Amino acid sequence: MIAAEFLVAGNAEGDVLRLEAPLSFWGGVHEATGEIIDTHHPQHGQSVTGRVMLMPGGRGSSSSSSVLAELIRAGVGPAAIVLGERDPIIALGAMVAEALYGRSVPVLVLGADEYERVSAWKRTRIVRVAQGATLEEVEVRQSH
C-alpha cells in the first residue's frame, strides 16, 4: 500500500495505463472516444477510458483542462490520474468536471520511488483516507 497526496479527492479502481511521456489532453486525446491521438506520443492509440493513468506530468496548454472535463462528462475519461509531479492544469480539469457534472476523477501525486513502484502494477485501487489517499495493487483475474 502506498500513501499519496490528492490534488482532487475521490475513490477509483482501474487498469493502469502507464504513459512514458507527458501528455497534453488538448490535441492529444480524442474527446469522444478517449483514444490518445497524439501521433508522437509513445502510447498513441491507447484508450484512457476507465483506466488509472500514470503519467510523469502534463504537457501543453491550459486548454487541456477543458478537454479533460469534456472527456469526464462524456464518460470516456480516465478513472483516475496519478502524476509524478504536480500539474494544476490537469487538477483544474478534474475539479471542473466534478463541479459541473458531478463526476469525480481523483488526481494524485506520488514521489519518485512510489511512482516507479506503481508503474509495475497492472491494476490499482485508490481509496480516500483522512490524510490523502492510499493506492494498493489489485490482483488481475483472468476470465474463462
Side-chain angles (χ1 to χ4, degrees):
M1 193 174 307
I2 294 175
E5 174 190 3
F6 269 126
L7 297 181
V8 179
N11 300 316
E13 182 175 326
D15 292 341
V16 175
L17 173 62
R18 179 176 188 237
L19 302 186
E20 297 172 22
L23 175 69
S24 172
F25 285 94
W26 176 255
V29 181
H30 193 281
E31 293 178 21
T33 66
E35 180 182 338
I36 296 174
I37 56 174
D38 178 347
T39 58
H40 301 289
H41 196 278
Q43 278 66 51
H44 173 255
Q46 295 279 323
S47 175
V48 304
T49 304
R51 299 177 80 181
V52 175
M53 294 180 68
L54 184 68
M55 53 194 286
R59 179 177 60 90
S61 77
S62 58
S63 299
S64 282
S65 295
S66 62
V67 175
L68 176 58
E70 182 58 26
L71 288 167
I72 295 168
R73 184 203 60 79
V76 295
I81 301 172
V82 180
L83 299 166
E85 61 184 39
R86 289 176 169 267
D87 189 307
I89 293 172
I90 291 173
L92 178 62
M95 285 187 258
V96 168
E98 186 171 30
L100 292 179
Y101 312 123
R103 296 184 178 183
S104 174
V105 171
V107 179
L108 303 90
V109 179
L110 293 176
D113 291 342
E114 293 82 9
Y115 186 88
E116 284 306 311
R117 187 171 159 201
V118 175
S119 294
W121 295 356
K122 302 251 185 254
R123 188 172 179 85
T124 187
R125 178 179 303 125
I126 297 165
V127 178
R128 185 179 184 172
V129 295
Q131 302 301 318
T134 61
L135 285 82
E136 60 187 19
E137 187 173 18
V138 177
E139 180 182 343
V140 177
R141 296 181 184 206
Q142 300 294 327
S143 60
H144 297 279

